[in-house]
Amino acid sequence: MDVIGTEHLVRDEAALDALYGERNPAALAKEIDYIHPHYRAMIEASPFMVLATVGPEGLDCSPRGDPVGSFIQVPDEKTVLIPDRRGNNRIDSLRNIVRDDRVALLFLIPGVGETLRINGRAVISTAPSLTGRFPINGTLPRSVIVVTAESVYFQCPKALVRSDLWNPAKQINRRSLPSTGTMLAAITRGSLDGEAYDKAYPERLKATIY
C-alpha cells in the first residue's frame, strides 16, 4: 500500500516556500553565531540535552544528562564543554565526531517551554584541565566534548505546549510498556535472558552510572 502518495511529495525548496510562505523575521533574528548571556543562562539551567552527530554510517542522536551545576559549562561565548559520562560503550557519537566534526545540540529545561539549539563543530579532549572540571562522586569523565558554536538560537515552546511534556498528570507508568529485558529477549529471539537482565539492572545502574 502506498501510504506516502508520491504525487504529493515536496521535493525542493521552491515547493516548500510555496507551501509554508515567508519565514517569521523574529525566527531569523534570534539566530546568532555566539552564546549570548541570556542563552548561556538557559544552557546552565538545563540538566538534559540531545547531541546529534553525523558519520559515514549515517546520523546519530544521543541523550546526555547530569545534575545542574555538574553538567554543561560555557567558558566563553563560543565554547561549550560537555562531559562524556559512562554509557553503553557504543560511543557512536564520539566515533562520528572524530570523522566528521559537525554537531547539533538541543537543551531542555524542566518546566520551561523554550528549548535552546546550538549548531557547531566539536573535538574530543582528554586534557586533565578539562576532565577535572566535571567531578561527580569522585569520578571524572574519560573525555570532554568541546563544541565551538556557529549558530545559536532558542526554539519557541509550541512543541512542548502541544505535547504537554512537563505535565506530571501526563506521565506514563513505565510498567505499561515492555521492559528493556523483554525487548532484548524478543529482539535476540531468546538468546538473552530478559528476566535476568531486568532483575540485575537496578544494581548495575548504581554501579555504572558514574
Side-chain angles (χ1 to χ4, degrees):
M1 181 175 64
D2 182 9
V3 298
I4 298 177
T6 55
E7 72 276 15
H8 298 296
L9 292 179
V10 179
R11 298 182 183 274
D12 54 47
E13 288 190 65
L16 278 173
D17 291 339
L19 180 62
Y20 286 95
E22 294 185 2
R23 288 179 287 183
N24 185 330
L28 300 177
K30 65 187 178 183
E31 182 178 351
I32 54 179
D33 64 357
Y34 67 97
I35 302 169
H36 187 280
H38 293 332
Y39 287 172
R40 177 174 181 166
M42 294 184 70
I43 294 170
E44 293 178 341
S46 171
F48 180 85
M49 61 156 285
V50 179
L51 168 66
T53 59
V54 59
E57 294 83 14
L59 303 174
D60 182 69
C61 198
S62 173
R64 305 283 165 137
D66 261 332
V68 170
S70 302
F71 194 25
I72 308 298
Q73 293 186 16
V74 184
D76 59 58
E77 66 177 15
K78 293 290 289 185
T79 309
V80 173
L81 304 177
I82 307 168
D84 189 63
R85 304 294 186 190
R86 293 183 67 170
N88 55 19
N89 218 38
R90 286 179 55 123
I91 59 172
D92 294 323
S93 299
L94 304 185
R95 293 184 191 280
N96 282 348
I97 289 171
V98 297
R99 296 177 293 178
D100 188 324
D101 64 354
R102 293 175 294 169
V103 297
L105 316 179
L106 174 66
F107 295 89
L108 280 79
I109 306 169
V112 175
E114 291 83 4
T115 57
L116 188 81
R117 297 174 62 173
I118 295 179
N119 298 322
R121 306 277 176 167
V123 294
I124 302 165
S125 175
T126 60
S129 60
L130 294 181
T131 58
R133 287 171 170 256
F134 300 98
I136 289 188
N137 299 334
T139 301
L140 299 177
R142 291 186 182 180
S143 66
V144 173
I145 301 170
V146 183
V147 177
T148 300
E150 296 179 340
S151 170
V152 189
Y153 56 99
F154 69 87
Q155 188 83 31
C156 77
K158 291 187 180 70
L160 274 73
V161 171
R162 286 191 290 256
S163 65
D164 208 8
L165 182 64
W166 303 128
N167 185 347
K170 298 293 182 67
Q171 290 186 357
I172 305 299
N173 185 331
R174 182 63 184 87
R175 295 181 181 276
S176 69
L177 298 172
S179 70
T180 51
T182 298
M183 290 186 281
L184 284 169
I187 291 167
T188 61
R189 298 182 179 180
S191 63
L192 190 148
D193 186 339
E195 185 176 350
Y197 183 92
D198 285 339
K199 186 176 181 179
Y201 186 75
E203 289 302 317
R204 184 165 64 248
L205 177 62
K206 291 179 183 177
T208 62
I209 193 166
Y210 289 113

